[in-house]
Amino acid sequence: MSRQASRRGAWLAWIVQALLVLAVLAGAVWVMNHALEVLRSRGVRSGFDFLTEPAGFSISEGWLDFDASQPFWRAFLAGLINTVRAAVPAAVFAIVLGTLIGIGRLAPHVLLRGICTAYVEVLRNVPLLVQLLMLAFAMANLLPDPTEPVRLLPGVWLSNGGLSVPWPASGDGGWWPTHFEWPEKGDFGVSGGAALSPEYVTIVAGLSFYSAAFVAEIVRAGILSVSQGQVLAGQALGLTPGQQLRIVILPQALRVIVPSLTNQLLSLTKNSSLAVAVGYPELVSVANTTIGSNGRAFECIAIIMAVYLLLSLLISFGMNRYNARVALRGWQ
């Protein structure tokens, strides 16, 4: 096939895909307009004009300040930022913890292997919602008061008032962080650093622990997929077990791990919607409050669907790009 014919075929493929995307978007717009017309014909107030009206409620925490006088669209934006604020650290903790547990599942030490196996079997077989409710109960009733917090690590304090951790701080008049501000225990509680609410700690910990059980199995399967000959080759080169794992096994296991890990990260992001059960003001919680105040259920649910679809597509795009980098040539 000549280069010109190949280029023509590539352009034709792009045109067909663009037309298909336009057709799907047009269909979605038609369905949306039809639904709104049906609601109006039944006397139900509908449309997205409410987004510019004052919300009438405030959001208690988050990176974006929000009060009752600000519009609904800003409330949804604050909810989206809170969703990302919970999902990103939970994904990082789940990957790190899951990788350690997955390696532990293959350890020669019987006790370590048994503990890791028990963790996986317990955490993945109990519904996430139940785990979140148990964590919320433990945070509220089993931890000490803020005046008597538990010191987990230097500068890390935990109580039923939340978690205090060191946080970057800038100097006088500057915006770039120059040092860490460390929490200090006083007579009336912990001051300084970053104070994380009990609801935030509950959802991040719950998502991390639950997802780590699945990540552990993904990592274990990836390690087992590496040929034993590769391990023997590492031993013949005089590599220690740690070097064999880091240099020989894990880089090859990534080709099996990454596609399944993508699915798990998508699941974790969507499971963050369960934060509404423990009172954390993420996107679904904001939408529920909005529905209660103005009754625009269809519009709010449509916004939730669109936002989670966008987040999932972004995660898939990023992970597929990374998967293309670690994949063997000829597998793509």
Side-chain angles (χ1 to χ4, degrees):
M1 181 183 295
S2 66
R3 176 178 290 183
Q4 187 175 5
S6 175
R7 188 176 300 173
R8 191 183 304 118
W11 275 106
L12 182 61
W14 276 106
I15 292 172
V16 171
Q17 292 177 60
L19 290 175
L20 181 61
V21 170
L22 290 175
V24 172
L25 290 177
V29 171
W30 181 85
V31 170
M32 179 73 69
N33 287 331
H34 177 71
L36 293 176
E37 290 176 2
V38 170
L39 290 174
R40 292 191 189 101
S41 66
R42 296 178 179 177
V44 179
R45 189 184 175 197
S46 60
F48 292 91
D49 55 312
F50 73 94
L51 290 173
T52 57
E53 299 173 356
F57 61 85
S58 60
I59 296 178
S60 57
E61 68 172 297
W63 286 335
L64 184 65
D65 294 333
F66 183 81
D67 58 52
S69 63
Q70 294 177 325
F72 279 106
W73 68 264
R74 189 177 170 89
F76 279 99
L77 179 60
L80 169 60
I81 292 174
N82 280 351
T83 296
V84 175
R85 178 174 174 254
V88 171
V92 173
F93 290 142
I95 291 173
V96 174
L97 181 61
T99 301
L100 294 176
I101 295 173
I103 295 172
R105 288 264 282 159
L106 299 171
H109 197 287
V110 176
L111 179 60
L112 176 60
R113 193 168 64 244
I115 292 174
C116 294
T117 301
Y119 177 94
V120 171
E121 295 302 331
V122 171
L123 270 292
R124 73 176 179 179
N125 290 312
V126 177
L128 176 57
L129 179 59
V130 176
Q131 295 183 36
L132 289 175
L133 295 176
M134 182 57 74
L135 279 173
F137 175 83
M139 287 287 297
N141 298 283
L142 303 183
L143 290 178
D145 293 334
T147 55
E148 296 294 335
V150 177
R151 187 186 184 193
L152 301 179
L153 293 170
V156 180
W157 300 87
L158 179 65
S159 70
N160 59 13
L163 183 69
S164 296
V165 296
W167 196 253
S170 58
D172 294 337
W175 58 273
W176 186 257
T178 57
H179 62 282
F180 275 90
E181 187 180 65
W182 287 74
E184 295 182 357
K185 180 177 177 296
D187 295 335
F188 302 101
V190 178
S191 60
L196 308 177
S197 70
E199 295 81 10
Y200 178 75
V201 175
T202 298
I203 186 62
V204 172
L207 288 174
S208 302
F209 296 153
Y210 180 75
S211 300
F214 295 89
V215 173
E217 289 301 274
I218 293 171
V219 171
R220 185 173 72 92
I223 292 175
L224 290 176
S225 71
V226 178
S227 167
Q228 186 64 21
Q230 298 291 316
V231 179
L232 296 176
Q235 293 174 350
L237 291 173
L239 299 179
T240 64
Q243 289 174 326
Q244 294 169 31
L245 184 67
R246 180 170 55 85
I247 301 174
V248 178
I249 299 175
L250 283 182
Q252 298 183 69
L254 279 177
R255 294 155 190 157
V256 175
I257 291 173
V258 172
S260 298
L261 184 61
T262 302
N263 292 333
Q264 192 55 44
L265 293 181
L266 291 172
S267 176
L268 183 149
T269 304
K270 289 179 283 190
N271 283 338
S272 67
S273 61
L274 292 175
V276 66
V278 295
Y280 178 67
E282 47 75 61
L283 183 66
V284 175
S285 175
V286 171
N288 282 341
T289 306
T290 302
I291 294 172
S293 64
N294 62 17
R296 304 289 183 96
F298 176 78
E299 293 83 348
C300 291
I301 294 172
I303 291 173
I304 294 173
M305 291 174 62
V307 170
Y308 275 106
L309 176 61
L310 178 62
L311 289 177
S312 297
L313 291 177
L314 289 175
I315 293 170
S316 296
F317 176 76
M319 292 299 292
N320 286 337
R321 296 277 294 180
Y322 180 69
N323 187 42
R325 289 187 58 187
V326 301
L328 280 175
R329 292 183 178 179
W331 285 24
Q332 303 176 40

